[in-house]
Amino acid sequence: MYNKILLIGDMVSACKVALSAMVPVLAHKKHSVYTLPTAIVSNTFGYKKVAQVSTGDYVKNSMEAWKELGFGYDAVFVGYVTDKDQANAIIDYCKVLKEKGVKIFHDPIMGEKCHLYWGIGDEVADIHKEILPLTDYTFPSWTEAAYLSGRDFSNDNSTEEEIFAIIDDLVKMGAKNIAISSCIADGKDCIAIYDYNKKSKRLLPYERIPVKIGGTGDVFSAMIMADVMNGIDFAAAVQGTVSAIYTMVNLEKDKDEKLRGLDLEKVLTMI
């Protein structure tokens, strides 16, 4: 408990998504949380208007300052990255931290439901391919995992064999522990899990609540990371996270403004 965890990704001001969703989860799980925004975004892209700005050289300059100051962390999470220059600075920083035994967590934020997010192209995919070998844990959606592995992602209804083949591809690319969200195996919703130490693959079925609430993927990453850093077995952390998110979504399934995310400060006290 009380690990120092650095979150690198986009900060969304008016919605509980991205870093704004991860911070309360990790704090609730008794970790000390620090943030390095790669972009500042007004709200999710599900709304008709959005303002955004990349933090550009701020990321590189911050990490250089922290090196000189001797700031340390127990774990780092890498999420949304805006461009190649920013990615190179993050990769260099993660290499330094990894040599010191820091755990690297990763969500290759690029898309979901068989579509890439607006503005995502080959450059961003290449960035995450470079980050992948540095990671100890990675949490792609099925769409992101298929895209990273070079497979067709136009139809997400797969077989167990096809999903496990994607895991094999990611492992060959350097990934270690993997949890792929939003999988559909033979028509059933599931999470695909690969345990690096045990060299085991499995599918974890779950019941999907048919609503779309923003930020659940970010909560998924944060809860697994929090539990792993608290010493919980990886597969058990994934299973506990799936159960907790089901409870939270069920509590808020009838709320207005679902795109603004879960009311985390309220629902985290109820799980």
Side-chain angles (χ1 to χ4, degrees):
M1 288 192 179
Y2 294 106
N3 292 284
K4 292 182 178 180
I5 298 178
L6 172 64
L7 306 177
I8 304 175
D10 54 325
M11 181 68 77
V12 181
S13 300
C15 300
K16 289 289 186 182
V17 303
L19 301 192
S20 299
M22 299 182 77
V23 170
V25 170
L26 287 158
H28 178 75
K29 294 275 191 173
K30 307 301 182 186
H31 295 290
S32 189
V33 192
Y34 304 84
T35 59
L36 180 56
T38 55
I40 309 296
V41 187
S42 60
N43 44 266
T44 64
F45 288 97
Y47 289 95
K48 294 179 180 179
K49 293 197 71 172
V50 62
Q52 62 175 322
V53 61
S54 169
T55 56
D57 288 340
Y58 169 76
V59 171
K60 179 180 179 181
N61 295 338
S62 295
M63 292 186 293
E64 288 178 349
W66 295 343
K67 288 178 189 176
E68 290 185 24
L69 293 167
F71 288 0
Y73 303 98
D74 300 300
V76 174
F77 169 86
V78 181
Y80 181 71
V81 180
T82 63
D83 57 56
K84 188 70 172 177
D85 289 340
Q86 204 177 66
N88 286 337
I90 292 168
I91 288 168
D92 289 343
Y93 188 58
C94 286
K95 285 179 179 177
V96 171
L97 294 179
K98 193 167 182 66
E99 288 178 357
K100 298 178 180 178
V102 175
K103 297 292 186 186
I104 309 296
F105 295 80
H106 173 230
D107 180 354
I109 297 171
M110 295 186 293
E112 61 181 339
K113 298 185 182 303
C114 306
H115 296 284
L116 299 181
Y117 296 133
W118 180 86
I120 298 294
D122 289 341
E123 182 185 40
V124 175
D126 289 341
I127 286 169
H128 288 293
K129 287 177 184 177
E130 288 185 47
I131 294 172
L132 208 55
L134 295 172
T135 65
D136 296 287
Y137 300 86
T138 190
F139 312 125
S141 67
W142 177 89
T143 300
E144 292 159 346
Y147 185 54
L148 280 174
S149 65
R151 293 175 179 268
D152 177 38
F153 59 94
S154 61
N155 183 353
D156 58 1
N157 190 9
S158 308
T159 65
E160 178 182 285
E161 183 179 2
E162 289 168 337
I163 294 170
F164 286 173
I166 290 175
I167 288 177
D168 291 338
D169 290 341
L170 296 180
V171 172
K172 289 176 184 176
M173 295 167 66
K176 295 181 177 63
N177 299 284
I178 304 167
I180 304 177
S181 60
S182 303
C183 295
I184 303 175
D186 299 316
K188 297 180 181 179
D189 295 304
C190 58
I191 307 292
I193 303 170
Y194 176 72
D195 188 303
Y196 179 74
N197 290 325
K198 299 175 183 176
K199 301 294 186 288
S200 64
K201 295 183 286 255
R202 61 173 288 202
L203 297 182
L204 174 65
Y206 67 93
E207 181 183 352
R208 178 185 295 274
I209 299 174
V211 297
K212 171 66 175 175
I213 298 181
T216 52
D218 306 302
V219 173
F220 179 80
S221 296
M223 294 195 79
I224 297 172
M225 179 165 47
D227 285 348
V228 166
M229 292 305 294
N230 280 337
I232 295 175
D233 173 77
F234 177 54
V238 176
Q239 188 154 6
T241 293
V242 170
S243 177
I245 290 176
Y246 179 90
T247 299
M248 290 188 285
V249 170
N250 195 44
L251 287 167
E252 300 232 302
K253 64 186 178 184
D254 298 321
K255 69 178 287 182
D256 296 328
E257 296 187 313
K258 293 181 179 66
L259 288 178
R260 295 189 70 180
L262 294 163
D263 187 353
L264 290 165
E265 287 79 3
K266 180 180 73 175
V267 295
L268 283 168
T269 64
M270 300 179 184
I271 60 173

